[in-house]
Amino acid sequence: MNVLNLIVGLAALFLGRQLFWLFVAAAGFMLGATLATELLSAGAVWLSLLLALALGLLGALLAVFFQRLAIGIAGAIAGGFLFLNLAQPLLGGFQLYTLPGILTFILGGILGALFVLLFFELALIVLSSVVGASLLTNTAAQMLILTPASSTLLFVALLVVGVAVQAALWQAREREPA
């Protein structure tokens, strides 16, 4: 599962705007993987992978057939994870399925969905970078022993790099003659 998280995370971090369906699929994958990891037993790796892949596939299908709706949902998921990643070290490292985690996720989700509706292109860049940075940070935290502070620093660094790369690619594409 870690290798798949790394691949999906890197793709979302650097190519999320160009491949918006990938961003939506990655958001679904990340939600499925997080829920499965926190709610299922450690021995149910195949079930965790199945749930993550199912939500990722559902996200990709939504993105193809219902673009705005799917990106709004993915924006809500990405916003939820952004708030969760930034709030955890400040509020004691709570999990998604606790009351503070759920409330933080919902608040971030509402703001993420609004951000997508108001600033579509910029939102795709930022939120796909959030999804990629979250997947990569969570994978690194599972593979290495990271403190909450070092996880947050890694998340922010990856987020900045992802936004910078995608913004540069977007600017280069805008300058190309039609």
Side-chain angles (χ1 to χ4, degrees):
M1 184 94 149
N2 287 338
V3 173
L4 191 56
N5 283 351
L6 290 173
I7 292 168
V8 172
L10 286 169
L13 186 67
F14 296 120
L15 301 172
R17 187 197 148 274
Q18 290 86 344
L19 304 171
F20 76 90
W21 59 268
L22 174 69
F23 156 55
V24 176
F29 179 85
M30 184 173 61
L31 180 62
T34 301
L35 290 175
T37 301
E38 291 185 10
L39 300 177
L40 299 175
S41 68
V45 174
W46 67 272
L47 191 57
S48 298
L49 182 59
L50 184 65
L51 180 61
L53 289 174
L55 286 178
L57 179 63
L58 178 64
L61 289 173
L62 277 174
V64 171
F65 294 110
F66 304 102
Q67 180 180 1
R68 288 283 186 187
L69 174 65
I71 292 174
I73 291 169
I77 293 170
F81 277 108
L82 173 64
F83 271 54
L84 205 57
N85 277 321
L86 295 177
Q88 278 182 338
L90 300 174
L91 301 175
F94 53 81
Q95 300 296 316
L96 173 61
Y97 59 87
T98 63
L99 183 60
I102 291 169
L103 294 176
T104 301
F105 191 86
I106 289 172
L107 176 63
I110 291 168
L111 293 175
L114 287 173
F115 184 53
V116 167
L117 292 173
L118 296 174
F119 307 103
F120 186 76
E121 291 289 335
L122 178 62
L124 282 178
I125 291 171
V126 171
L127 294 176
S128 64
S129 295
V130 166
V131 168
S134 292
L135 275 169
L136 294 170
T137 301
N138 292 342
T139 303
Q142 290 173 5
M143 296 170 69
L144 310 168
I145 298 174
L146 298 178
T147 65
S150 60
S151 288
T152 301
L153 286 174
L154 177 61
F155 171 77
V156 170
L158 287 169
L159 178 62
V160 168
V161 170
V163 168
V165 168
Q166 287 195 61
L169 290 172
W170 181 35
Q171 291 297 337
R173 188 168 187 156
E174 292 293 314
R175 282 186 252 138
E176 287 179 5

PDB file of all heavy atoms in Angstrom, residues 3 27 29 33 36 38 52 97 103 115 124 143 154 165:
ATOM      1  N   VAL A   3       3.745   1.841  -1.480  1.00  0.00           N
ATOM      2  CA  VAL A   3       4.237   2.168  -2.824  1.00  0.00           C
ATOM      3  C   VAL A   3       3.139   2.851  -3.628  1.00  0.00           C
ATOM      4  O   VAL A   3       3.382   3.857  -4.305  1.00  0.00           O
ATOM      5  CB  VAL A   3       4.754   0.899  -3.544  1.00  0.00           C
ATOM      6  CG1 VAL A   3       5.097   1.204  -4.987  1.00  0.00           C
ATOM      7  CG2 VAL A   3       5.959   0.332  -2.819  1.00  0.00           C
ATOM      8  N   ALA A  27      -8.038  12.006  -4.131  1.00  0.00           N
ATOM      9  CA  ALA A  27      -8.760  12.431  -2.926  1.00  0.00           C
ATOM     10  C   ALA A  27      -9.627  11.285  -2.404  1.00  0.00           C
ATOM     11  O   ALA A  27      -9.654  11.009  -1.202  1.00  0.00           O
ATOM     12  CB  ALA A  27      -9.617  13.664  -3.227  1.00  0.00           C
ATOM     13  N   PHE A  29      -9.134   8.085  -2.995  1.00  0.00           N
ATOM     14  CA  PHE A  29      -8.198   7.048  -2.548  1.00  0.00           C
ATOM     15  C   PHE A  29      -7.690   7.369  -1.147  1.00  0.00           C
ATOM     16  O   PHE A  29      -7.648   6.513  -0.270  1.00  0.00           O
ATOM     17  CB  PHE A  29      -7.035   6.950  -3.540  1.00  0.00           C
ATOM     18  CG  PHE A  29      -6.003   5.923  -3.159  1.00  0.00           C
ATOM     19  CD1 PHE A  29      -6.165   4.599  -3.520  1.00  0.00           C
ATOM     20  CD2 PHE A  29      -4.871   6.292  -2.449  1.00  0.00           C
ATOM     21  CE1 PHE A  29      -5.215   3.647  -3.179  1.00  0.00           C
ATOM     22  CE2 PHE A  29      -3.915   5.352  -2.100  1.00  0.00           C
ATOM     23  CZ  PHE A  29      -4.088   4.023  -2.470  1.00  0.00           C
ATOM     24  N   ALA A  33      -8.256   5.146   2.112  1.00  0.00           N
ATOM     25  CA  ALA A  33      -7.090   4.597   2.810  1.00  0.00           C
ATOM     26  C   ALA A  33      -7.066   5.044   4.270  1.00  0.00           C
ATOM     27  O   ALA A  33      -6.772   4.251   5.168  1.00  0.00           O
ATOM     28  CB  ALA A  33      -5.809   5.022   2.104  1.00  0.00           C
ATOM     29  N   ALA A  36      -9.959   3.280   6.150  1.00  0.00           N
ATOM     30  CA  ALA A  36      -9.662   1.853   6.303  1.00  0.00           C
ATOM     31  C   ALA A  36      -8.568   1.633   7.341  1.00  0.00           C
ATOM     32  O   ALA A  36      -8.663   0.733   8.173  1.00  0.00           O
ATOM     33  CB  ALA A  36      -9.258   1.256   4.964  1.00  0.00           C
ATOM     34  N   GLU A  38      -7.745   3.540   9.865  1.00  0.00           N
ATOM     35  CA  GLU A  38      -8.170   3.888  11.219  1.00  0.00           C
ATOM     36  C   GLU A  38      -9.289   2.998  11.747  1.00  0.00           C
ATOM     37  O   GLU A  38      -9.414   2.820  12.952  1.00  0.00           O
ATOM     38  CB  GLU A  38      -8.598   5.355  11.264  1.00  0.00           C
ATOM     39  CG  GLU A  38      -7.413   6.292  11.076  1.00  0.00           C
ATOM     40  CD  GLU A  38      -7.770   7.752  11.228  1.00  0.00           C
ATOM     41  OE1 GLU A  38      -8.892   8.073  11.654  1.00  0.00           O
ATOM     42  OE2 GLU A  38      -6.908   8.580  10.928  1.00  0.00           O
ATOM     43  N   ALA A  52      -9.780   1.744  -0.513  1.00  0.00           N
ATOM     44  CA  ALA A  52      -9.107   2.915  -1.076  1.00  0.00           C
ATOM     45  C   ALA A  52      -9.244   2.948  -2.595  1.00  0.00           C
ATOM     46  O   ALA A  52      -9.546   3.987  -3.183  1.00  0.00           O
ATOM     47  CB  ALA A  52      -7.633   2.914  -0.670  1.00  0.00           C
ATOM     48  N   TYR A  97     -11.449  10.069  13.117  1.00  0.00           N
ATOM     49  CA  TYR A  97     -12.729   9.542  13.588  1.00  0.00           C
ATOM     50  C   TYR A  97     -13.123  10.024  14.988  1.00  0.00           C
ATOM     51  O   TYR A  97     -14.141   9.612  15.514  1.00  0.00           O
ATOM     52  CB  TYR A  97     -12.740   8.011  13.531  1.00  0.00           C
ATOM     53  CG  TYR A  97     -11.668   7.353  14.341  1.00  0.00           C
ATOM     54  CD1 TYR A  97     -11.855   7.060  15.685  1.00  0.00           C
ATOM     55  CD2 TYR A  97     -10.446   7.028  13.764  1.00  0.00           C
ATOM     56  CE1 TYR A  97     -10.862   6.473  16.432  1.00  0.00           C
ATOM     57  CE2 TYR A  97      -9.447   6.432  14.508  1.00  0.00           C
ATOM     58  CZ  TYR A  97      -9.656   6.153  15.834  1.00  0.00           C
ATOM     59  OH  TYR A  97      -8.672   5.579  16.573  1.00  0.00           O
ATOM     60  N   LEU A 103     -15.000  17.373  13.326  1.00  0.00           N
ATOM     61  CA  LEU A 103     -15.354  18.797  13.218  1.00  0.00           C
ATOM     62  C   LEU A 103     -14.318  19.575  12.411  1.00  0.00           C
ATOM     63  O   LEU A 103     -14.666  20.422  11.584  1.00  0.00           O
ATOM     64  CB  LEU A 103     -15.526  19.406  14.611  1.00  0.00           C
ATOM     65  CG  LEU A 103     -16.711  18.874  15.427  1.00  0.00           C
ATOM     66  CD1 LEU A 103     -16.715  19.477  16.824  1.00  0.00           C
ATOM     67  CD2 LEU A 103     -18.024  19.133  14.710  1.00  0.00           C
ATOM     68  N   PHE A 115     -13.638  27.171  -1.852  1.00  0.00           N
ATOM     69  CA  PHE A 115     -12.428  27.585  -2.555  1.00  0.00           C
ATOM     70  C   PHE A 115     -12.453  27.102  -4.008  1.00  0.00           C
ATOM     71  O   PHE A 115     -12.144  27.845  -4.935  1.00  0.00           O
ATOM     72  CB  PHE A 115     -11.202  27.042  -1.809  1.00  0.00           C
ATOM     73  CG  PHE A 115      -9.878  27.463  -2.370  1.00  0.00           C
ATOM     74  CD1 PHE A 115      -9.570  28.791  -2.600  1.00  0.00           C
ATOM     75  CD2 PHE A 115      -8.909  26.512  -2.649  1.00  0.00           C
ATOM     76  CE1 PHE A 115      -8.341  29.176  -3.104  1.00  0.00           C
ATOM     77  CE2 PHE A 115      -7.677  26.876  -3.153  1.00  0.00           C
ATOM     78  CZ  PHE A 115      -7.386  28.219  -3.379  1.00  0.00           C
ATOM     79  N   LEU A 124      -7.581  23.913  -8.035  1.00  0.00           N
ATOM     80  CA  LEU A 124      -7.071  22.617  -8.503  1.00  0.00           C
ATOM     81  C   LEU A 124      -5.593  22.457  -8.163  1.00  0.00           C
ATOM     82  O   LEU A 124      -5.168  21.390  -7.726  1.00  0.00           O
ATOM     83  CB  LEU A 124      -7.262  22.475 -10.014  1.00  0.00           C
ATOM     84  CG  LEU A 124      -8.654  22.120 -10.490  1.00  0.00           C
ATOM     85  CD1 LEU A 124      -8.681  22.076 -12.019  1.00  0.00           C
ATOM     86  CD2 LEU A 124      -9.109  20.800  -9.923  1.00  0.00           C
ATOM     87  N   MET A 143       6.289   4.912   7.440  1.00  0.00           N
ATOM     88  CA  MET A 143       7.554   4.243   7.140  1.00  0.00           C
ATOM     89  C   MET A 143       8.679   4.685   8.080  1.00  0.00           C
ATOM     90  O   MET A 143       9.593   3.920   8.353  1.00  0.00           O
ATOM     91  CB  MET A 143       7.949   4.505   5.680  1.00  0.00           C
ATOM     92  CG  MET A 143       6.952   3.906   4.689  1.00  0.00           C
ATOM     93  SD  MET A 143       7.223   4.442   2.994  1.00  0.00           S
ATOM     94  CE  MET A 143       8.758   3.631   2.602  1.00  0.00           C
ATOM     95  N   LEU A 154       7.142  18.598   6.985  1.00  0.00           N
ATOM     96  CA  LEU A 154       7.227  17.866   5.728  1.00  0.00           C
ATOM     97  C   LEU A 154       6.012  18.156   4.857  1.00  0.00           C
ATOM     98  O   LEU A 154       6.139  18.416   3.662  1.00  0.00           O
ATOM     99  CB  LEU A 154       7.338  16.364   5.994  1.00  0.00           C
ATOM    100  CG  LEU A 154       7.361  15.464   4.754  1.00  0.00           C
ATOM    101  CD1 LEU A 154       8.565  15.786   3.870  1.00  0.00           C
ATOM    102  CD2 LEU A 154       7.358  13.995   5.174  1.00  0.00           C
ATOM    103  N   VAL A 165       5.511  23.920  -8.509  1.00  0.00           N
ATOM    104  CA  VAL A 165       5.696  23.164  -9.755  1.00  0.00           C
ATOM    105  C   VAL A 165       4.449  23.262 -10.629  1.00  0.00           C
ATOM    106  O   VAL A 165       4.525  23.536 -11.825  1.00  0.00           O
ATOM    107  CB  VAL A 165       6.053  21.687  -9.459  1.00  0.00           C
ATOM    108  CG1 VAL A 165       5.955  20.831 -10.713  1.00  0.00           C
ATOM    109  CG2 VAL A 165       7.451  21.602  -8.860  1.00  0.00           C
TER     110      VAL A 165
END
